[in-house]
Amino acid sequence: MNHLIFRFLKNRITIPILLSACLALQTKAQPAGHSTYRFSENWWWYGCTLLIAAVVVYRIIHSLQQRLKEEKIISAFATTLYGQKTVEDIFWSTAKGCVEKIGLIDCVVYQLDPGRNLLLQKAAFGPKNPWRREIINRIEIPVGKGIVGSVAETGKAEIIYNTAADPRYIVDDERRLSEITVPVWIEGKVFGVIDSEHPRRHFYKKYHLRLLKKIAGICSERIAKYLAEDRLRSKIARDLHDEIGSTLTSINILSKVAMQEGLEEDKIKIYLQKIKDNSGNIMERMSDIVWAVNPVNDSFDKVILRMKEFAAEILESAGINYYFSEEGSLDKTQLNLEQRKDIYLIFKEAVNNAVKYSGATEVNVILQKENDRLKMIIIDNGNGFDTEAAYAGNGIKNMQNRAAGMQSVLKMDAIKGTGTTIALEVIIT
């Protein structure tokens, strides 16, 4: 309430002026040396004060009502857009909502085509949308051209109170006299533009600009989430194809060879063993992917639990002692799907290498969380290795690629006859 009063008094000079005038009149009307005030003589001063108080209260109430109305509209938009599954759905829902919920007569949503540097009309509601998801006379606007193109280039929203006086104005389906245009940002770049026109000059107010900026923000958040999910689905599809598809092809070939007539029994056993090993690898990889995708495993606690289960399975059977050290607020750490999958697989690769190649008798795993940084350090007391030669191996390359995909730092220190240290540092956002 105090904040609203301050803004009102700061932005409107009429109240201080009226108050000063009232005080001046009171001083003038009061004779010098006269110390007795009578209501009948100063009724105009009290009336002026009450008028000012009434105006202040009215403006505060009106401002609160306006803000409440805005919040209801934004809440309705957020609810509507939450259920949309694609960028196209989000754009069409936004265009329709701007007309129906805000009271605009026209709304067109553009999407930037970075390859051609053009803005394409992707959704509309009003005169350009006569039926379902159809747009009459779709136009393309180069970035930097027209009001829409200028906003896409600068990233700054604009209200044009009189388009007749703005040489940038581009006529679409018909000429209108005012326009408002707001950019939609995704990952630090303009992704699209929300545009509305009206046949009356000075139709759009700061109220419309505030609303459209908030709506653009909701669109940005929803689209960014969709794009992240889409990239994730594509990555999982690639993982399934690369890691499992090739193994299944190998199993198919081995089974055909093993089924050839006249093949010696010893060779058949060799092929069957290879099929068994490959199918076991597929089962393990599928288990890792399913575990990573499951939202139940979002917390780092679940990652640590799976690490310990894997360490127990592989290190104990190899007769290697292992120790886990946990430091910082690890229990409150939340990871996205890609992070927990890649962190776990880097750990798994490091432990596998320690078992297969190091000759170690002890492995130490240190997990640390400090501010927004998560560190995983895996130390063994094995034989070490020549790091330059080892980079040719697929295991090391896989760890490096996963670390790069997370934009994290992976360091490997190995001294022959002493041991190996692998340290991963991830920024948690």
Side-chain angles (χ1 to χ4, degrees):
M1 184 66 76
N2 292 335
H3 174 65
L4 289 173
I5 292 172
F6 172 76
R7 287 187 61 186
F8 174 77
L9 294 176
K10 179 181 177 182
N11 296 331
R12 292 167 177 77
I13 62 171
T14 54
I15 300 303
I17 289 174
L18 285 173
L19 186 58
S20 298
C22 288
L23 290 172
L25 286 171
Q26 183 194 32
T27 303
K28 184 178 180 181
Q30 182 64 43
H34 195 280
S35 60
T36 305
Y37 290 87
R38 296 179 182 176
F39 178 78
S40 59
E41 295 176 356
N42 298 285
W43 61 269
W44 42 267
W45 188 85
Y46 292 109
C48 184
T49 303
L50 288 173
L51 176 62
I52 293 171
V55 171
V56 171
V57 171
Y58 169 77
R59 294 298 302 178
I60 291 172
I61 293 173
H62 178 73
S63 179
L64 286 172
Q65 289 175 335
Q66 190 79 347
R67 295 291 181 180
L68 182 61
K69 181 181 177 182
E70 289 180 26
E71 290 304 318
K72 286 183 178 179
I73 291 172
I74 295 302
S75 178
F77 257 98
T79 302
T80 302
L81 293 183
Y82 181 78
Q84 308 307 317
K85 302 298 183 183
T86 66
V87 174
E88 183 183 8
D89 291 340
I90 293 168
F91 280 166
W92 279 100
S93 182
T94 298
K96 183 179 180 181
C98 285
V99 173
E100 293 183 344
K101 293 180 172 63
I102 302 178
L104 308 180
I105 66 168
D106 158 81
C107 183
V108 179
V109 183
Y110 294 79
Q111 183 175 345
L112 177 65
D113 180 348
R116 296 191 294 157
N117 208 31
L118 292 174
L119 290 154
L120 314 178
Q121 292 183 337
K122 290 294 185 178
F125 204 80
K128 282 184 68 71
N129 171 233
W131 179 253
R132 294 183 180 175
R133 291 192 173 186
E134 294 182 6
I135 300 177
I136 296 176
N137 186 33
R138 289 178 186 259
I139 66 171
E140 299 177 351
I141 299 178
V143 173
K145 302 295 182 181
I147 296 165
V148 170
S150 297
V151 168
E153 185 175 50
T154 63
K156 296 179 180 179
E158 289 192 46
I159 296 179
I160 310 301
Y161 297 105
N162 182 9
T163 59
D166 195 318
R168 299 175 300 167
Y169 180 71
I170 296 175
V171 179
D172 191 349
D173 56 317
E174 63 179 76
R175 179 175 289 278
R176 298 185 180 88
L177 296 178
S178 59
E179 184 172 359
I180 186 169
T181 309
V182 175
V184 177
W185 290 81
I186 304 291
E187 297 176 352
K189 298 179 181 179
V190 174
F191 182 84
V193 172
I194 301 172
D195 182 70
S196 178
E197 297 182 13
H198 198 277
R200 195 170 75 231
R201 291 187 181 91
H202 296 276
F203 172 78
Y204 299 104
K205 312 297 181 188
K206 290 183 178 179
Y207 159 78
H208 296 108
L209 188 61
R210 279 198 311 271
L211 275 177
L212 286 180
K213 282 184 175 180
K214 290 181 180 179
I215 290 165
I218 296 171
C219 285
S220 298
E221 184 180 347
R222 190 67 194 93
I223 292 170
K225 185 177 181 181
Y226 165 78
L227 294 176
E229 291 172 352
D230 190 57
R231 285 195 295 268
L232 189 56
R233 284 193 294 266
S234 298
K235 188 174 186 301
I236 291 172
R238 286 196 303 271
D239 287 346
L240 288 171
H241 178 269
D242 296 342
E243 296 184 17
I244 296 176
S246 59
T247 308
L248 287 174
T249 301
S250 176
I251 289 174
N252 184 48
I253 294 171
L254 289 170
S255 61
K256 286 180 179 178
V257 173
M259 291 173 63
Q260 290 179 356
E261 292 184 7
L263 197 65
E264 296 177 6
E265 186 175 344
D266 290 343
K267 289 185 177 181
I268 292 175
K269 287 182 179 179
I270 292 172
Y271 288 128
L272 290 177
Q273 183 62 44
K274 289 181 179 179
I275 291 172
K276 176 178 176 295
D277 294 340
N278 286 340
S279 60
N281 289 334
I282 286 181
M283 290 173 63
E284 187 176 348
R285 291 171 185 171
M286 281 296 296
S287 175
D288 291 339
I289 292 172
V290 170
W291 169 82
V293 170
N294 192 339
V296 173
N297 301 316
D298 282 352
S299 69
F300 195 59
D301 275 349
K302 296 295 179 66
V303 181
I304 295 173
L305 179 61
R306 190 167 178 87
M307 285 178 176
K308 290 179 177 178
E309 288 175 349
F310 177 76
E313 179 183 349
I314 191 168
L315 294 175
E316 288 180 7
S317 61
I320 299 174
N321 297 320
Y322 64 95
Y323 307 92
F324 275 80
S325 173
E326 300 165 30
E327 303 170 11
S329 54
L330 293 169
D331 58 327
K332 298 178 181 178
T333 302
Q334 294 291 318
L335 303 173
N336 62 42
L337 187 155
E338 290 185 76
Q339 286 174 331
R340 68 174 180 268
K341 177 173 176 284
D342 288 334
I343 289 172
Y344 173 69
L345 291 178
I346 288 173
F347 164 81
K348 190 174 175 182
E349 190 72 52
V351 172
N352 271 324
N353 287 345
V355 172
K356 292 179 181 178
Y357 309 117
S358 74
T361 59
E362 183 176 297
V363 172
N364 285 279
V365 180
I366 302 169
L367 300 168
Q368 300 172 333
K369 172 71 186 304
E370 185 176 351
N371 298 324
D372 63 344
R373 296 182 182 274
L374 174 67
K375 292 182 181 180
M376 177 175 69
I377 305 169
I378 303 166
I379 306 169
D380 70 57
N381 65 346
N383 301 322
F385 60 91
D386 184 348
T387 55
E388 296 298 326
Y391 283 137
N394 288 331
I396 300 295
K397 286 182 179 179
N398 287 340
M399 286 194 284
Q400 290 176 324
N401 290 337
R402 292 188 187 282
M406 290 189 289
Q407 297 182 337
S408 59
V409 178
L410 180 70
K411 294 181 179 179
M412 301 182 195
D413 294 319
I415 301 174
K416 281 195 170 184
T418 302
T420 303
T421 298
I422 295 175
L424 176 71
E425 183 174 320
V426 184
I427 297 177
I428 305 297
T429 55

